[in-house]
Amino acid sequence: MIAIVDYGGGNVRSLRAALERCGADVLVTSDPAAIAHADRLLVAGQGAAGAAMAALAASGLDDVLRSAANRG
């Protein structure tokens, strides 16, 4: 399952639709447990990395994403 991290930024609807057209099993979520158990993670960009990181930190999702990245 591919989890698209919903942190309030980025165009998650278009990304989800594109992946589903390719046959992917996709979940849009802000649930840390779902993010931690996903096979793959996508964080939709919005063109401003600083603002995206601030939103991730404000939502508390930055730690779970760091843990997932450290797992490879």
Side-chain angles (χ1 to χ4, degrees), residues 38-58:
D39 298 316
R40 300 283 185 260
L41 297 174
L42 292 174
V43 180
Q46 62 182 23
M53 287 305 299
L56 287 167

Side-chain angles (χ1 to χ4, degrees), residues 4-71:
I4 299 174
V5 179
D6 185 6
Y7 63 94
N11 189 348
V12 297
R13 288 189 305 168
S14 293
L15 182 56
R16 179 183 189 163
L19 291 168
E20 288 176 341
R21 278 193 301 272
C22 293
D25 178 24
V26 180
L27 172 67
V28 176
T29 185
S30 60
D31 177 30
I35 292 168
H37 291 97
D39 298 316
R40 300 283 185 260
L41 297 174
L42 292 174
V43 180
Q46 62 182 23
M53 287 305 299
L56 287 167
S59 67
L61 296 175
D62 54 335
D63 289 335
V64 69
L65 290 174
R66 281 191 190 92
S67 293
N70 287 334
R71 287 193 318 270

